[in-house]
Structures are given as C-alpha cells and as structure tokens.
Amino acid sequence: MKFVSSSVVRSFFHRAVAVTSTIATPTCRNCSSSSSSTTTTKGKYSHHSIKNGKSGDENKPSNTRATRGRRFPPKQKKRADDEVALPLTEQQSQILSAVSDGHSVFITGSAGTGKTVFLKRIIKLLARIHGPKHVFVTASTGVAACALNGQTIHSFAGIDFTAADRETLLLKALANRRAFKRWNKVRALVIDEVSMVDGEFFDNLDFIARELRSQHKDQDQDQDQDQDQDQDQDQDQDQDQDQAWGGIQLIVTGDFFQLPPILDHPHSSASASRKEFTFEADCWNASFHLQIELTRIFRQSDSQFIELLQGIRRGCINPEHLQLLLNHCCTETEPDPSVTRLYPRNQDVKRVNEERLRSLGCEIISYTALDSGQQPWKNQLKRGIAPEVLELCLGARVLLIKNINVFRRLVNGATGTVTAFVKPQDSTVMDISSSGLLPIVQFDSGLEVVIEPDTWDLTEGELVFATRKQLPLILAWALSIHKCQGMTLNSLHTDLSRAFGCGMVYVALSRVRSLDGLHLSGFSPSKIKAHPKVLQFYQRFPCNQTP
Ligand SMILES: Nc1ncnc2c1ncn2[C@@H]1O[C@H](COP(=O)(O)OP(=O)(O)OP(=O)(O)O)[C@@H](O)[C@H]1O
C-alpha cells in the first residue's frame, strides 16, 4: 500500500483565461473597497477582482498579471522523473550497484546530502528488479512517508503501537490479513527517516519478518505473470528464518544526528532499558551488507555554513561559528512576516498560524479534506501532512506540500502568499469548499499559480483503499521542527528558547540553503546537543574517523 500522488494541480497559464461571469468573492476588512466584482472567462477560471486588497479596474491587470510567469506544463510524470535524472555522485553509483546486486543497504548522511531524492531513484531500480508490487516504501512518520508516496512502517507492518512484546506484535500482524499478505509479498522494503524508529521496534520487525516468511506460504492469490517467480520464492522461504528480515532486501535511510524516536513513556523504567536508537537493535549489523555515509551536501553551498552545521550536528560549536551566528542570525526584533517560523512545540505553531491568519482581517475560506475509502485506512490518512481543515485568506503565507514542477522550484517546501481567489468553471473544488473558490499563490520565486485540489491515495498495487482530497498547502507562518525534518526552506526564523533533546537545533538550522535565510531567537549554545551513543555509532564511517 502506498500514497500515490495523482496531482490535479495545473498552472494557471496552462488554461485559457478570459472573463465570463460574476462571482461572490471573499471580503477583506483591511481592503479599501468592495470585494465583489464582475469578471468573465472563457477558460477554466473566473477571476474576481481582489488582489492584494485592491478591487475593480485597479486590479484589472489581475488577468494579465495573473497569467504572467505561469507558463509551465506540470505533468505528473515529468515531476517524478526530473528528480531522479540528477547526476550521480561516486558514492551514489556505488550504492546503486550494491542495490542491483540484491544487497541490503543503510544510507546515512548529514541533512541535505540528498538521501530522500536519491531514495526515489533506488525505489525505481527496486521496482525494475523485483516488480513494483513486491517493493514497499515506508517511513517512520506520515509526513516523511507522504514525501515518498509511501506508508508508515507501522501501517506496513500491521502494528499500530510498539510497546508490546514481540509475540504480541507477531499475533497482531498475523491477525491483520492485509499486513500478513504484505509481509509475504515484500521482496524489498524501504524505510526512510529511520532515526525516529527505535531499536526495539526494529528488532521486532526483523522477528516478525522471519516468522511470517518462514512459517507461511505466500498467500497471494493473484494469478499474474509473476506466478513463477512467486513459486520460486515460496521454496526459498523455508530458509528465510535464518536470514535477517526473512531474506527481504532492506534499504534504510536516515541521519541519527537528527530527531530521535519519540518514546511512549520516556521516563518509565521500561523506556530506560529500551534500545532507543535503531542502531542499538540486535539485528542491526546483520541487516545490511553495506552501511554508507553520504558526504556531499547539496542543500547548502557556502562552505563556512556547511562547517558550522557539521559542528552543530556533532553537538559543538567553535567560538568563530558562534560569533557568526550571533552576529549574522540572532535577532530580538519581530521577524519579517514572510519568513517561515519554526517552533519546538506544536501549540506554538498552531497559535501563531491562527493569530496571523485572523490578524489579516480578511474573509476566511475553508477547505475541508474529503476522505473516502475503508477503515482503518481512512484513519491513516489523518497522519499524513495534508490538513483536515485548511483555512486561507488573502495574504495568507502558505507552503506547498507536494512537488508541482521541480525545474521551476515549485516543490514540496516552496513558500508563497495567497494573492487572489478564482472560481473554476468546473466543480472541482465544491466538495471541499462551499466557496467554490481556488487560491492563487504567488510563490517567493515570483511565479503565480492557481492551486487545485490534489489527492493522497493509500494503495496497494493497483488497489486504492482510501483517498484524501485537499489543497496541497499548509499555513506557513509557523511549522514544528518535527514536521519540517526533511524539508528545504529558503528562509526561516526559529525560536529555540523551548528547544529540547538532541538534534533539534541541528534539524532547525539545517533546513535553510544559506546563512542569509536563517534568523534565530532564544538561541543558546547549551541547546546544541548530540547524543553520545550517536557520536560513537558514527565512528564507524571513514569521514568521522580521526587520522
Ligand atoms: N543529486 C543532487 N543534485 C542536486 N541537488 C540535489 C541532489 N540531491 C538532492 N538535491 C537537493 O538537495 C536538497 C536536499 O535534498 P534531500 O531532501 O533529498 O536531502 P536529505 O539528505 O534527505 O535531507 P534531510 O536529511 O534534511 O531530510 C533538495 O533541495 C534537493 O533538491
């Protein structure tokens, strides 16, 4: 089962635009004049005249201005392909060759070394080797899973909680018909953002894989062209109990210097003895033929900033770098409202986004996600990044949560501002918003795009079990540091006064491309922490060994 993007986002320019109808438009307390207008279009959208608080003829350029810069054909296939067509580094070539040989690989590396982008390429290769229905793509969190069109590792495994003994978990997986089928079908399993999976759970997954794959024949009733291969695999399964993960090819990525797992009861005696990090799992070393740390960083290009981040990753900062941060990034003044704010805690994120939205004084347009399908899959959709209710208004800062066009940098994480709303001539939005309006977002690159609803499907092979329809946007004045792990941002302001635990400062600071985009408050060197066990673990990789 995986999240499959079937984007319906289209560039505004892609459709002919001309005026044909009168529509009701949102009102704005801060706007100087009426918020309704008469506009016509022969194309897909009717424009109303509010743009940045202006109206009427004054805003007539909305038709022309709105079309400028929107000439791109965001075909879904193209979007997926251009990322995987990036040139390979030597290390990446080495990994692809190991994957082709059927080896299990752990890929780590600093934030921004391209782990997630590269993983998409590996997934394509695995699909060619094993057949798409035998490759399962997972991640530790719904947000990370969504970025790869995958599912959470818990959902794949058929286990909704982890704090139980392995026999109980095995029974749960056995009782879950679909999970049982997945365990028998899987030939390659991908796990992204593994730093948030604890070692105990990793060992339990290995145990379940061995047990299910050795004791039970593949129950897959699909009579397809893979039948012969499936029979071969059935014969092999007698030996699977002796093999790590029952012989599944495992591709695991993550950076243990980033956020660790969230333990259910962090201060309980059970948690104290629990293997917190995945690399503490008993099966860890036996799980991989190759463990490799990617060393080339793509997200940042300024070598001084890269060095500073490398120090913070290891929990230290030298006086020169500290001074650089204090002089260049620390500010006590209220940040520019266009800059994304990161907070350690969710309640601050919610509060800031709501306050900012309402402070604009504009009419708020609500979009309520439309979920369809069966339980428990529908519940799982709620753990993804697409919000249950999205509230927007003119001037709202938003962040794209899917790639629209990679070449034009309209990618997951791109930020922009809602500059207008348009009425599509079809009913594409009516089922998620009674307003019938779609937002136009002017991205920080200058491009303006009408954002149409997108879908997030939970599928397995060809079957779709549940679908969420929503706009691919979230409010972006504020985000949690946990939610932004994996994102690239052009600029951010982070208040670290309530930062806690290891890796949090590193994750926050490493999201931006350059020091110019980084604004800090509540920063103190004492907040920079790396776990001693993680430092110890990374000694095994050549780039961390002292000569
Ligand atoms: N081969 C590449 N060539 C050029 N740019 C790349 C390449 N791989 C990744 N990038 C760019 O680098 C940035 C970071 O990539 P990505 O998110 O895959 O890194 P990551 O290692 O997964 O980061 P994190 O650990 O923070 O999740 C993205 O903007 C991406 O487009």
Side-chain angles (χ1 to χ4, degrees):
M1 182 175 61
K2 62 179 187 173
F3 284 98
V4 171
S5 156
S6 59
S7 169
V8 288
V9 179
R10 298 284 181 265
S11 76
F12 190 46
F13 191 79
H14 208 48
R15 320 285 168 104
V17 177
V19 188
T20 57
S21 63
T22 302
I23 59 166
T25 58
T27 56
C28 182
R29 193 176 69 215
N30 295 342
C31 297
S32 53
S33 54
S34 158
S35 61
S36 65
S37 66
T38 304
T39 54
T40 46
T41 121
K42 282 186 189 152
K44 182 167 180 185
Y45 306 113
S46 296
H47 261 277
H48 67 75
S49 60
I50 289 189
K51 283 192 63 104
N52 292 334
K54 294 176 183 166
S55 68
D57 285 345
E58 217 187 327
N59 206 35
K60 223 171 178 176
S62 67
N63 277 338
T64 48
R65 226 193 89 203
T67 55
R68 212 183 304 141
R70 289 180 187 154
R71 190 192 332 220
F72 53 87
K75 296 245 168 68
Q76 183 64 18
K77 190 162 188 311
K78 182 74 186 163
R79 285 200 230 161
D81 286 349
D82 53 9
E83 262 181 350
V84 288
L86 290 167
L88 292 172
T89 65
E90 207 174 299
Q91 284 185 309
Q92 289 173 334
S93 302
Q94 184 193 347
I95 295 167
L96 282 189
S97 141
V99 172
S100 301
D101 292 343
H103 291 161
S104 289
V105 185
F106 168 58
I107 306 161
T108 188
S110 305
T113 43
K115 297 183 292 297
T116 303
V117 168
F118 181 50
L119 207 44
K120 291 180 186 168
R121 193 159 186 156
I122 293 177
I123 292 163
K124 286 205 149 201
L125 175 61
L126 290 171
R128 280 208 300 278
I129 296 170
H130 298 287
K133 73 174 196 171
H134 296 292
V135 178
F136 286 82
V137 178
T138 74
S140 55
T141 68
V143 173
C146 189
L148 285 171
N149 296 334
Q151 62 187 310
T152 64
I153 182 66
H154 290 79
S155 132
F156 163 82
I159 297 165
D160 49 12
F161 69 104
T162 54
D165 61 75
R166 48 167 55 179
E167 282 74 22
T168 309
L169 295 179
L170 176 62
L171 287 176
K172 264 186 106 59
L174 265 170
N176 183 328
R177 197 172 56 85
R178 292 193 192 283
F180 177 72
K181 206 168 156 186
R182 282 194 291 273
W183 276 112
N184 281 288
K185 203 190 248 186
V186 57
R187 292 180 193 167
L189 178 63
V190 172
I191 311 175
D192 193 17
E193 297 290 358
V194 78
S195 72
M196 288 195 247
V197 174
D198 72 81
E200 199 95 10
F201 183 54
F202 199 73
D203 267 338
N204 288 338
L205 291 175
D206 168 54
F207 171 74
I208 292 168
R210 289 175 194 244
E211 290 294 319
L212 292 188
R213 292 168 64 80
S214 64
Q215 291 179 10
H216 305 277
K217 294 265 177 186
D218 191 341
Q219 303 268 308
D220 186 358
Q221 299 301 312
D222 293 351
Q223 299 296 314
D224 59 22
Q225 66 257 52
D226 288 338
Q227 200 174 26
D228 292 343
Q229 273 181 295
D230 284 347
Q231 281 166 358
D232 291 345
Q233 185 170 347
D234 290 344
Q235 284 154 18
D236 292 343
Q237 283 182 350
D238 291 339
Q239 298 150 22
D240 283 348
Q241 197 167 16
D242 298 331
Q243 296 184 51
W245 291 77
I248 297 167
Q249 184 177 12
L250 202 60
I251 308 296
V252 174
T253 56
D255 176 15
F256 290 111
F257 283 111
Q258 296 186 42
L259 293 169
I262 300 169
L263 298 178
D264 293 339
H265 303 286
H267 304 301
S268 70
S269 54
S271 288
S273 61
R274 201 172 165 90
K275 299 163 206 156
E276 181 179 3
F277 295 101
T278 330
F279 57 75
E280 294 184 272
D282 295 334
C283 71
W284 179 264
N285 283 328
S287 297
F288 305 106
H289 301 91
L290 174 67
Q291 298 188 42
I292 188 164
E293 180 171 14
L294 298 176
T295 51
R296 177 156 171 204
I297 292 171
F298 293 102
R299 186 175 288 137
Q300 295 88 16
S301 54
D302 169 5
S303 56
Q304 198 180 23
F305 188 33
I306 289 175
E307 267 179 44
L308 182 155
L309 289 174
Q310 288 301 306
I312 291 179
R313 183 170 181 251
R314 287 180 175 73
C316 52
I317 184 160
N318 68 32
E320 188 194 338
H321 289 150
L322 180 59
Q323 208 52 49
L324 185 69
L325 275 187
L326 293 173
N327 292 347
H328 206 84
C329 308
C330 289
T331 167
E332 291 311 317
T333 55
E334 189 64 14
D336 173 350
S338 70
V339 168
T340 305
R341 300 187 73 158
L342 299 187
Y343 290 97
R345 293 171 198 270
N346 277 329
Q347 67 253 46
D348 292 320
V349 173
K350 199 162 177 284
R351 175 182 51 76
V352 170
N353 278 330
E354 283 178 7
E355 278 172 14
R356 297 299 299 275
L357 189 77
R358 275 153 185 70
S359 74
L360 293 177
C362 295
E363 184 180 338
I364 290 170
I365 311 287
S366 273
Y367 298 89
T368 305
L370 182 69
D371 293 347
S372 52
Q374 310 162 14
Q375 295 292 10
W377 315 115
K378 268 169 85 175
N379 274 345
Q380 207 179 304
L381 291 167
K382 297 184 198 307
R383 295 211 288 260
I385 196 171
E388 191 107 27
V389 177
L390 172 70
E391 292 189 325
L392 298 177
C393 70
L394 290 179
R397 283 292 292 169
V398 287
L399 182 138
L400 202 55
I401 52 172
K402 275 202 171 178
N403 291 354
I404 290 183
N405 184 301
V406 175
F407 284 121
R408 298 212 172 228
R409 307 195 74 81
L410 290 176
V411 290
N412 188 357
T415 46
T417 303
V418 175
T419 53
F421 287 88
V422 285
K423 191 165 185 98
Q425 289 196 334
D426 56 29
S427 57
T428 177
V429 71
M430 286 307 290
D431 49 3
I432 60 167
S433 178
S434 54
S435 71
L437 298 173
L438 291 173
I440 294 180
V441 174
Q442 177 163 45
F443 286 92
D444 297 345
S445 63
L447 282 176
E448 280 186 311
V449 183
V450 174
I451 304 295
E452 292 192 352
D454 212 315
T455 56
W456 287 259
D457 294 343
L458 274 169
T459 68
E460 189 175 303
E462 308 279 285
L463 295 175
V464 177
F465 289 105
T467 299
R468 166 161 286 192
K469 179 177 174 182
Q470 179 57 286
L471 295 183
L473 295 173
I474 54 175
L475 288 178
W477 285 290
L479 298 171
S480 74
I481 295 176
H482 274 89
K483 192 155 257 184
C484 78
Q485 178 157 319
M487 283 181 180
T488 302
L489 299 170
N490 290 330
S491 59
L492 67 86
H493 179 114
T494 181
D495 180 349
L496 294 167
S497 54
R498 300 178 75 195
F500 57 93
C502 296
M504 195 165 262
V505 174
Y506 176 57
V507 169
L509 270 54
S510 59
R511 296 308 99 200
V512 278
R513 293 194 166 87
S514 72
L515 267 173
D516 289 340
L518 183 60
H519 310 274
L520 298 175
S521 58
F523 174 76
S524 136
S526 66
K527 303 273 182 193
I528 301 171
K529 289 181 193 152
H531 201 289
K533 284 182 184 171
V534 174
L535 284 161
Q536 172 69 29
F537 172 76
Y538 274 85
Q539 286 296 321
R540 68 179 62 193
F541 299 104
C543 64
N544 304 306
Q545 287 159 5
T546 38

